[in-house]
Amino acid sequence: MQLSELLSIESQAIQLIQQTGMWMLEQRVKPKEIEIKTPNNLVSFVDKESEKRLVAGLSNIFPTAGFIAEEGTGEKADEWNWVIDPLDGTTNFLHGVPIWCISVALCHNNKAVLGIIYDPNQDQCFHAVKGNGTYLNGAPIQISQQASLRDSLLVTGFPYDDFGREEQYISLFRALMKNTRGIRRLGSAALDLAWVAMGRFEAFYEYGLNPWDVAAGVVIIEEAGGTVTGFHDGDPIFEEDIMASNGHIHQELQKIIQEHFTQ
Ligand code: IPD
Ligand code: CA
Ligand code: CA
């Protein structure tokens, strides 16, 4: 597909995502309306309705693409797929913490070529098309230039339902806590990635994620000049662990991660 076609799809998708985000801002969920998928994994009508609106709108924008969407709307296709997290940061949303977003990627043969992450609370839309750079509300953004892990600020996500690698996670956390400027845990993997792309954080790492948490963030970081990999050699979108950085500290950080998360 030509760059101009992807850019046209991008601008239509941004409009749809912003409208959906504005609708979400007005919603209030009552405690009895919260469903528990698995302990600590919550969902509400807001997640489901947001996904319905996105799938309907994106089907009009690009009728032959399929869907890999968190709440199960739509069918996967062979070549082109929208990868959708209709509300990333559901626990924050339900507790009134204004750190959540919509994350939408377009993948071609399982590689993200377009990514949009929209934060309605701050009206910030991060967007990228492969080969065309990363933008925040239309203005170019870039990763940070910090080259020392010691002077880096990191962000992560705590394990919440897959505790199989808890010991490794905690020992890595301990090592990084002492050897960086600090580690944050915001509760929205997609925004964590967007904030690496804009240079607030030098790196993000987490395990136990799904493609919809990270697909948009991968292209957004790469186009902003950063690097995204698995902890080892795995695919960062379709396998379960991901580390993303400004590139300058990637090797140093990956070495420490690998010392704790052995294959
Ligand atoms: C979650 C958030 C959180 C991360 C979890 C994700 P959800 O997504 O991104 O930051 O730590 O692993 O599942 O469930 O709010 O869409
Ligand atoms: Ca998510
Ligand atoms: Ca979600």
Side-chain angles (χ1 to χ4, degrees), residues 149-190:
L149 183 61
R150 184 69 201 77
D151 296 324
S152 292
L153 185 62
L154 270 46
V155 64
T156 187
F158 300 145
Y160 67 99
D161 69 350
D162 170 5
F163 296 108
R165 285 170 285 176
E166 182 191 335
E167 290 307 328
Q168 298 166 68
Y169 184 84
I170 296 294
S171 76
L172 171 64
F173 192 81
R174 201 177 286 127
L176 291 174
M177 195 166 61
K178 292 180 189 153
N179 291 297
T180 60
R181 238 175 225 180
I183 310 175
R184 302 288 179 265
R185 197 295 191 234
L186 303 180
S188 163

Side-chain angles (χ1 to χ4, degrees), residues 239-258:
E239 287 175 39
E240 283 204 335
D241 51 62
I242 181 169
M243 57 172 294
S245 79
N246 65 0
H248 307 299
I249 62 161
H250 206 86
Q251 263 195 327
E252 199 185 351
L253 178 61
Q254 192 168 31
K255 186 167 171 283
I256 300 178
I257 289 180
Q258 289 179 354

Side-chain angles (χ1 to χ4, degrees), residues 19-218:
Q19 280 166 7
T20 308
M22 289 304 158
W23 172 82
M24 290 163 84
L25 267 185
E26 290 160 9
Q27 306 310 308
R28 296 287 171 273
V29 179
K30 300 191 185 98
K32 62 172 192 254
E33 291 170 327
I34 300 173
E35 289 170 47
I36 298 173
K37 288 195 208 168
T38 55
N40 299 337
N41 190 357
L42 313 176
V43 68
S44 73
F45 70 86
V46 180
D47 306 61
K48 293 179 185 172
E49 176 62 27
S50 161
E51 186 168 292
K52 254 205 243 163
R53 291 175 183 226
L54 293 168
V55 168
L58 294 169
S59 302
N60 288 332
I61 295 170
F62 188 178
T64 52
F67 292 93
I68 301 171
E70 181 175 14
E71 310 309 334
T73 318
E75 297 291 319
K76 187 173 184 292
D78 286 339
E79 201 182 344
W80 291 93
N81 281 290
W82 291 104
V83 182
I84 302 177
D85 191 331
L87 198 183
D88 185 58
T90 296
T91 304
N92 282 347
F93 179 87
L94 295 173
H95 284 257
V97 178
I99 302 178
W100 48 268
C101 64
I102 296 174
S103 176
V104 172
L106 180 63
C107 286
H108 183 237
N109 294 329
N110 291 339
K111 299 274 177 243
V113 295
L114 184 166
I116 301 168
I117 294 174
Y118 181 53
D119 168 0
N121 288 289
Q122 301 203 59
D123 192 21
Q124 290 195 327
C125 185
F126 302 84
H127 53 103
V129 167
K130 198 152 190 53
N132 194 54
T134 295
Y135 299 81
L136 167 52
N137 292 346
I141 53 169
Q142 281 217 315
I143 42 82
S144 92
Q145 294 305 318
Q146 180 55 255
S148 145
L149 183 61
R150 184 69 201 77
D151 296 324
S152 292
L153 185 62
L154 270 46
V155 64
T156 187
F158 300 145
Y160 67 99
D161 69 350
D162 170 5
F163 296 108
R165 285 170 285 176
E166 182 191 335
E167 290 307 328
Q168 298 166 68
Y169 184 84
I170 296 294
S171 76
L172 171 64
F173 192 81
R174 201 177 286 127
L176 291 174
M177 195 166 61
K178 292 180 189 153
N179 291 297
T180 60
R181 238 175 225 180
I183 310 175
R184 302 288 179 265
R185 197 295 191 234
L186 303 180
S188 163
L191 272 186
D192 295 340
L193 290 163
W195 288 10
V196 172
M198 76 187 292
R200 284 184 175 159
F201 298 121
E202 273 68 38
F204 164 75
Y205 65 95
E206 185 165 347
Y207 78 82
L209 291 175
N210 288 292
W212 44 79
D213 298 309
V214 298
V218 168

